[in-house]
């Protein structure tokens, strides 16, 4: 308290104020990236499966988020892929992170599949290796029980874990590339009577990341 109330320390007070402003305005975007680059075990955001869920979306939705999710030609989300270096030990697991970001100022509901999609286009999150083709909008209807809500400007991380011993089956080589995607095929209709909204408000479409060339961890052989 002496620090905050000291009239003899105006520069320190201004510095503290600027740090608070930085945390408020840059914290949701810049700080997670910085922390993840400094701490290898830290992700850029909350695990997508940990995002909160609501059971009354038939009556309570973000009007801004709903508008962003239903405007033709507008994509409220973005996807990026962040693969770890390919491990040299075939007994190790390899982790690929899919980062999904809400680019709007409204809350956006998303479908989070419990099992990652690998080398196949299905509803939810997935990764595809060595493909220059666009990811098609395909897959079964999403399960309402797996709908989570991504807050304004928030990002979440979906982890894909692949045993290194299965690389041959997936066609992964030192020159391989990987891209991530998010697919949703339905806004999910609401069944309860007299609901304010006809569906849960999910954005329908497919978003894919740019392809990233894999890197090899130290000691990885050819």
């Amino acid at each position: 308290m002496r620090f905050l109330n000291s009239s003899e320390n105006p520069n320190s007070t201004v510095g503290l104020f600027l740090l608070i402003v930085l945390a408020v305005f840059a914290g949701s975007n810049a700080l997670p990236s910085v922390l993840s680059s400094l701490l290898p075990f830290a992700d850029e955001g909350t695990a997508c499966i940990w995002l909160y869920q609501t059971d009354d979306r038939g009556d309570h939705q973000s009007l801004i988020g709903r508008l962003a999710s239903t405007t033709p030609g507008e994509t409220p989300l973005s996807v990026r892929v962040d693969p770890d270096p390919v491990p040299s030990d075939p007994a190790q697991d390899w982790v690929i992170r899919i980062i999904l970001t809400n680019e709007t100022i409204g809350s956006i509901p998303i479908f989070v599949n419990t099992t990652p999609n690998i080398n196949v286009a299905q509803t939810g999150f997935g990764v595809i290796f060595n493909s220059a083709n666009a990811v098609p909008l395909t897959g079964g209807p999403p399960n309402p029980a797996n709908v989570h809500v991504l807050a304004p400007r928030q990002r979440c991380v979906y982890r894909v874990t692949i045993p290194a011993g299965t690389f041959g089956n997936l066609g992964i080589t030192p020159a391989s590339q990987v891209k991530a995607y998010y697919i949703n095929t339905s806004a999910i209709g609401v069944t309860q009577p007299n609901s304010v909204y006809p569906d849960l408000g999910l954005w329908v479409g497919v978003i894919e990341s740019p392809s990233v060339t894999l890197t090899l961890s130290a000691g990885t052989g050819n």
Side-chain angles (χ1 to χ4, degrees), residues 2 8 19 23 25 35 51 60 63 72 101 107 116 118 120 131 134 141-142:
R2 289 180 57 192
E8 299 177 359
L19 286 175
F25 289 98
L35 288 176
L51 295 173
H60 300 92
L63 293 179
T101 302
S107 297
I118 301 174
V120 61
S131 175

Side-chain angles (χ1 to χ4, degrees), residues 133-188:
N133 298 325
V135 179
L137 177 59
T138 185
N143 186 341
N146 293 335
V147 172
H148 298 253
V149 179
L150 198 58
R153 303 296 186 187
Q154 185 182 17
R155 71 186 68 182
C156 72
V157 178
Y158 187 96
R159 284 191 169 213
V160 179
T161 301
I162 301 175
T166 65
F167 287 173
N169 297 333
L170 297 174
I172 299 174
T173 70
S176 290
Q177 291 190 327
V178 62
K179 63 182 174 182
Y181 68 79
Y182 169 76
I183 291 176
N184 183 50
T185 58
S186 171
I188 306 183

Side-chain angles (χ1 to χ4, degrees), residues 6-203:
S6 175
S7 60
E8 299 177 359
N9 243 335
N11 292 336
S12 298
T13 303
V14 171
L16 178 61
F17 173 76
L18 292 176
L19 286 175
I20 295 174
V21 171
L22 175 64
V24 170
F25 289 98
S28 62
N29 293 307
L31 292 183
S33 298
V34 172
L35 288 176
S36 64
S37 64
L38 295 176
L39 304 174
F41 56 84
D43 285 337
E44 293 186 30
T46 303
C48 297
I49 198 69
W50 292 350
L51 295 173
Y52 76 93
Q53 297 178 277
T54 60
D55 56 4
D56 57 354
R57 289 195 57 80
D59 293 321
H60 300 92
Q61 296 184 28
S62 163
L63 293 179
I64 297 176
R66 185 172 178 85
L67 178 63
S69 293
T70 56
T71 301
E74 296 292 333
T75 305
L77 304 164
S78 64
V79 171
R80 183 164 54 85
V81 64
D82 179 27
D84 280 353
V86 177
S88 58
D89 184 353
Q92 288 184 346
D93 286 338
W94 181 40
V95 176
I96 303 173
R97 296 170 185 82
I98 304 173
I99 298 95
L100 183 71
T101 302
N102 178 358
E103 301 291 354
T104 77
I105 58 172
S107 297
I108 302 293
I110 62 172
F111 170 75
V112 183
N113 44 315
T114 56
T115 302
N117 302 313
I118 301 174
N119 265 0
V120 61
Q122 288 291 335
T123 309
F125 293 85
V127 293
I128 295 180
F129 296 97
N130 304 319
S131 175
N133 298 325
V135 179
L137 177 59
T138 185
N143 186 341
N146 293 335
V147 172
H148 298 253
V149 179
L150 198 58
R153 303 296 186 187
Q154 185 182 17
R155 71 186 68 182
C156 72
V157 178
Y158 187 96
R159 284 191 169 213
V160 179
T161 301
I162 301 175
T166 65
F167 287 173
N169 297 333
L170 297 174
I172 299 174
T173 70
S176 290
Q177 291 190 327
V178 62
K179 63 182 174 182
Y181 68 79
Y182 169 76
I183 291 176
N184 183 50
T185 58
S186 171
I188 306 183
V190 174
T191 57
Q192 65 260 35
N194 303 318
S195 297
V196 175
Y197 301 101
D199 53 58
L200 300 187
L202 280 78
W203 176 79

